[in-house]
Amino acid sequence: SKTLEYLILSRTGSTNPRSVALVQLNRPKALNALCDPLMAELNVVLKELDADPDVKAIVLTGSEKAFAAGADIKEMQAFSYDQVINRNFIANWADIAKIRKPVIAAVNGFALGGGCELAMTCDIIYAGENAKFAQPEIKLGTIAGAGGTQRLTRVVGKSKSMEMNLTGDFVGAKEAEQAGLVSKVFPVDKTLDEALKLADKIAQMSLPVIILAKEAVNKAYETTLTTGLDFERRSFHSTFGLADRTEGMTAFVNKRVAKFEDK
Ligand code: CO8
């Protein structure tokens, strides 16, 4: 594993030991508060992993106490309007949504404000029983700035999103699962293992098909149903240009396990 200033990186994977990348937020003294240099480092690392042909899935996690307690309030405290607008503060957060490979968030403990938004920017959220999600910006006299009013509303609906954004109240793991924010809940010491297992399961699939599937699901948030269905059908058709599609169907017909080669 490799330790950067704010992140710890490692690789795993049952078939290819480099196919699953683990990115751990490592700023324990500030409960992984997402300061600007941390987000810059995260962006660089995720882009590198996205470009690495060995990597087929990425897991993003924090500690057992905190996934991330939000944007760095101490950093933001002194900012003025002209400063945030001139430097387009937090605009680089949008880059994370452009990663083409699946990113799984393994969330234990606090996922607050920017921490909840970062988890929601990921493709799948696994949560530990101690996970606490919230958009507490309103208590700081501000509002969410990286998806807390947008992604959250699309996921949990208006009433719960309004409640969370207008009160800052914590939502626990079970409630988050019921609301569809989280796909599964685990004991705290199992969350990361389960997320890595999920990533490894995905990593057994064909990389170009993984990318097409993620892109197609994400289209559901961006377009009308008719346009999305057209996009999906065209993407489905395009898999017929892949050797892995031939292999997958041939393996099924011949009652053997498919062996994908990412092409
Ligand atoms: N920013 C900076 N430092 C933080 C943050 C934070 N968000 N959260 C915790 N810390 C620091 C604390 O200041 C403390 O530092 P120190 O030891 O130097 O005093 C250390 O982490 C430990 O924290 P606590 O002592 O408070 O630990 P507790 O266990 O008592 O409480 C809580 C944990 C409940 C998580 C508490 O720390 C808390 O309420 N934190 C703030 C949560 C919050 O309001 N988050 C939202 C931030 S605003 C935001 O995310 C805006 C998003 C805008 C778009 C995205 C842009 C990035």
Side-chain angles (χ1 to χ4, degrees):
S1 82
K2 186 164 140 196
T3 303
L4 306 178
E5 195 173 355
Y6 296 105
L7 304 172
I8 301 172
L9 310 180
S10 56
R11 293 289 185 92
T12 177
S14 59
T15 307
N16 170 356
R18 295 185 54 73
S19 59
V20 172
L22 172 62
V23 180
Q24 187 180 359
L25 305 173
N26 182 34
R27 203 188 166 205
K29 287 193 181 129
L31 300 179
N32 292 331
L34 305 163
C35 58
D36 227 17
L38 184 157
M39 290 307 294
E41 195 172 278
L42 181 60
N43 260 307
V44 168
V45 162
L46 290 177
K47 272 183 201 152
E48 281 172 7
L49 295 173
D50 212 25
D52 183 331
D54 273 338
V55 175
K56 294 170 83 166
I58 301 164
V59 173
L60 179 64
T61 197
S63 68
E64 289 199 351
K65 182 158 188 217
F67 177 74
D72 190 322
I73 302 167
K74 291 170 187 168
E75 179 183 72
M76 288 186 293
Q77 184 197 4
F79 284 171
S80 58
Y81 178 63
D82 58 288
Q83 283 173 324
V84 292
I85 197 160
N86 289 346
R87 59 191 283 218
N88 205 4
F89 180 54
I90 75 165
N92 64 345
W93 281 53
D95 292 351
I96 294 176
K98 293 185 198 140
I99 301 299
R100 299 164 79 219
K101 293 168 184 172
V103 184
I104 299 155
V107 175
N108 283 320
F110 300 112
L112 310 179
C116 186
E117 293 171 310
L118 178 60
M120 288 190 292
T121 308
C122 299
D123 302 304
I124 299 170
I125 305 178
Y126 271 12
E129 282 162 350
N130 71 344
K132 288 174 266 302
F133 298 87
Q135 297 298 152
E137 289 88 344
I138 196 151
K139 295 199 260 179
L140 302 168
T142 184
I143 70 165
T149 68
Q150 301 302 302
R151 288 200 178 90
L152 184 65
T153 307
R154 282 167 159 79
V155 171
V156 304
K158 178 173 164 178
S159 181
K160 191 171 280 291
S161 174
M162 283 286 189
E163 200 179 355
M164 289 176 71
N165 276 289
L166 294 175
T167 66
D169 284 352
F170 288 177
V171 167
K174 271 283 155 221
E175 191 181 346
E177 185 186 24
Q178 278 158 12
L181 179 58
V182 155
S183 70
K184 287 195 179 92
V185 178
F186 301 97
V188 174
D189 61 347
K190 295 279 182 293
T191 315
L192 179 56
D193 282 353
E194 292 291 339
L196 289 168
K197 263 193 236 166
L198 172 65
D200 191 52
K201 186 186 267 189
I202 294 168
Q204 306 310 310
M205 311 303 168
S206 168
L207 181 59
V209 184
I210 292 170
I211 291 170
L212 289 175
K214 168 169 170 167
E215 196 182 5
V217 172
N218 277 333
K219 268 285 182 252
Y221 288 96
E222 303 286 355
T223 57
T224 63
L225 181 60
T226 304
T227 305
L229 289 169
D230 284 345
F231 180 88
E232 179 188 68
R233 190 179 338 97
R234 290 283 179 252
S235 296
F236 164 69
H237 288 163
S238 79
T239 65
F240 284 73
L242 293 168
D244 281 344
R245 196 285 313 174
T246 309
E247 164 62 12
M249 294 193 183
T250 304
F252 177 84
V253 170
N254 293 333
K255 300 189 189 297
R256 61 172 174 81
V257 178
K259 201 175 169 308
F260 294 126
E261 292 181 332
D262 300 333
K263 58 186 192 187

